[in-house]
Amino acid sequence: MGTRRRRVSVIRSRSKPVKWDDLRMEFISNCTADAISNAAQALIDGHLVTFPTETVYGLGANATNEKAVSRIYSVKGRPVGHPLIVHISSINKLDQWATDIPDYAIKLAREFWPGPMTLILPRTDLAKDYITGGQNNVGLRVPAQPIALALLKKYEELGGHGVAAPSANKFGAVSPTTAEAVSEELRENLEDNDLILDGGQCLVGIESSIIDCTESAPKMLRPGAITEEMIELTLEKKSEKNFEKLEIKAPGLLHSHYAPKAKIYFNSIAEPGEGFLALSKFQTPAGAIRLASPTTLEQYAKDLYSALRSADHQGLAKVVVQLPEGPGLAEALRDRLTKAAAR
Ligand code: TXA
Ligand code: MG
C-alpha cells in the first residue's frame, strides 16, 4: 500500500525583514486573521499547529489537553517525560501557570517579554506532569513573533490556556527556522487537520534563553539572545551560571543536540569539497563550500540552522566551523555548535 497523501495545510505569509531591535514595533503579519483563527480553533480541537516564533518554529498543542500533548512526543520522536515550554500571550497569564514567582523573575518578564526568553518557575495545578515531566516547575515564554502572539491571543479568546511547543524538529535534529524546514522535518508524521503556519524566516534563529527562577537567584540553563549581561544589567546582580543542573531532564541541555548529518569540526582548515561556516571576515579556504557569511553575531544566529541544513541538502560529510569568540550571543552560538558537533 502506498503512503496516503496527508492533508496538512501550509498557511503562507510573506514576512517583511525586521531587526531584533524592531521587534517591539507594530508588525502587521501577512497570515490573515482568518488563517490565525482557524489555527487557534485547531489547537482548541486538539490538533497540532506548527507556528513561527522569533527564535525557531514551534510544534504547538493545547497545553491542557493530554492527548494533544502526547502527540507532540510521537511526532517529534522525543522521549516522554522531557518537559515542554508553555507559550502564553502575555505576562498577565503568568499566574495561571506559575506560583511563588520571585521579584527578579517579574523584572525579567517585564523587561524581556514578549521575547526570546523562557522562565522556569514553580508550577500551579494547571501545569500537569505531562507538561513538566513530573517536575514541580514549568517553563513559560511569551514569544515576540506577531503571528505567534496573534495565534495565542485568539486561542485564549476561544477559551484556551497555554500552548505547549518544543522546537518543530525531530528529537536531536536541527531546529527549523523556516516553514519549509518544518515541513521537511515533520510533514510525514503530521495528520489531517494539523497545520503549518508559515511566517517566513525566524529573526533570532536560535532557541530562547532558559532561566531557572526557582531559587533565590536566576541561573542560565540555556544561553540565547537574552544574554547574561542583559540579565545582570536588568537585575544589577550577578546571575550564577549553572549549565549542569538539569542535564537529564532538559534535552536541549544534553551533550548532543541540534545535530545535522554532516560531521562538524572546529577551527581547522576546510579541504576542497568540505563545508565552511564562519563570520564573513574569514576567507573561504580554496575549494571549500561556504555555507553562510554572516557579518554579525546576530546574522550568524539567524543563519546557523539553515546553513547546517544546507550542508545536509548538499550531502556534505564534513563542515568546518569557525567558532565565534566572546560573551553574549557568541556564547549561545558556541553552545549550539558544540552540541551539534557531539555524537
Ligand atoms: O525558543 C524556544 O524556546 C523554542 C520556541 C518554539 O519557543 N522552544 C524550544 O523548546 O526550544 P524545546 O522543547 O525544543 O526546548 C526547550 C528546552 C528543553 O531542553 C526542555 O527540556 C527545557 O527547555 N525545559 C522545558 N521545561 C522545563 C522545565 N520545567 N525545567 C527545566 N527545563 C525545561
Ligand atoms: Mg528543541
Side-chain angles (χ1 to χ4, degrees):
M1 232 172 68
T3 45
R4 191 165 63 98
R5 210 180 147 70
R6 302 241 178 242
R7 277 184 292 128
V8 177
S9 307
V10 180
I11 300 176
R12 301 215 172 272
S13 82
R14 289 172 294 114
S15 68
K16 60 180 180 184
V18 279
K19 294 202 312 254
W20 165 238
D21 289 358
D22 295 335
L23 272 177
R24 281 160 206 250
M25 291 168 56
E26 193 185 1
F27 179 112
I28 312 291
S29 100
N30 291 309
C31 256
T32 63
D34 274 357
I36 289 170
S37 291
N38 290 343
Q41 187 63 50
L43 287 169
I44 296 277
D45 294 343
H47 304 299
L48 300 184
V49 174
T50 68
F51 60 97
T53 82
E54 75 281 28
T55 57
V56 300
Y57 275 73
L59 171 63
N62 178 343
T64 58
N65 178 336
E66 183 169 10
K67 207 168 148 216
V69 171
S70 74
R71 281 200 54 228
I72 288 180
Y73 289 91
S74 54
V75 166
K76 269 182 74 83
R78 180 175 179 157
V80 286
H82 288 283
L84 294 166
I85 297 172
V86 175
H87 296 68
I88 49 178
S89 71
S90 116
I91 190 171
N92 298 331
K93 308 283 177 190
L94 197 51
D95 286 351
Q96 294 182 349
W97 291 92
T99 179
D100 302 317
I101 306 170
D103 285 349
Y104 71 79
I106 301 282
K107 278 191 198 153
L108 293 177
R110 287 220 176 100
E111 181 70 21
F112 297 117
W113 278 351
M117 176 185 76
T118 296
L119 300 181
I120 309 292
L121 288 160
R123 67 172 167 177
T124 62
D125 289 344
L126 197 56
K128 303 285 189 238
D129 285 350
Y130 60 81
I131 291 290
T132 72
Q135 303 186 78
N136 285 327
N137 51 55
V138 60
L140 293 161
R141 176 161 113 82
V142 179
Q145 213 277 2
I147 294 171
L149 272 181
L151 174 68
L152 290 168
K153 285 201 178 110
K154 190 70 205 174
Y155 166 79
E156 288 165 2
E157 266 171 48
L158 294 172
H161 296 290
V163 173
S167 51
N169 51 278
K170 293 268 176 54
F171 180 68
V174 177
S175 298
T177 52
T178 62
E180 290 74 24
V182 172
S183 182
E184 179 183 298
E185 284 283 322
L186 301 182
R187 198 173 183 103
E188 285 296 298
N189 294 348
L190 292 175
E191 291 179 354
D192 293 357
N193 301 317
D194 292 338
L195 286 173
I196 298 175
L197 284 184
D198 183 350
Q201 191 183 0
C202 299
L203 206 60
V204 173
I206 57 170
E207 304 78 0
S208 61
S209 310
I210 301 183
I211 300 158
D212 182 355
C213 301
T214 60
E215 286 170 33
S216 57
K219 285 177 190 158
M220 181 74 84
L221 298 180
R222 179 174 73 181
I226 303 302
T227 64
E228 281 197 40
E229 193 189 1
M230 290 158 81
I231 291 164
E232 279 163 18
L233 275 173
T234 301
L235 302 180
E236 287 168 3
K237 67 178 172 193
K238 279 258 170 209
S239 80
E240 188 193 331
K241 263 206 224 176
N242 186 342
F243 294 96
E244 253 61 68
K245 191 169 160 254
L246 292 173
E247 191 161 7
I248 294 156
K249 289 185 174 167
L253 313 177
L254 292 179
H255 188 51
S256 169
H257 211 79
Y258 319 111
K261 293 186 183 73
K263 181 92 185 88
I264 292 179
Y265 295 85
F266 295 130
N267 305 347
S268 61
I269 310 250
E271 302 288 330
E274 293 176 354
F276 182 66
L277 176 57
L279 283 165
S280 60
K281 65 182 181 186
F282 294 98
Q283 273 198 342
T284 312
I289 297 153
R290 185 99 196 191
L291 296 169
S293 243
T295 50
T296 60
L297 291 173
E298 285 74 17
Q299 191 73 43
Y300 203 141
K302 189 177 174 195
D303 291 346
L304 174 66
Y305 290 144
S306 47
L308 296 180
R309 261 173 211 286
S310 125
D312 285 348
H313 289 157
Q314 296 179 63
L316 303 183
K318 190 172 163 183
V319 174
V320 171
V321 175
Q322 290 293 324
L323 284 174
E325 287 170 6
L329 200 51
E331 185 180 359
L333 284 164
R334 289 195 301 275
D335 170 77
R336 303 306 191 279
L337 282 163
T338 309
K339 284 167 183 158
R343 294 278 176 193

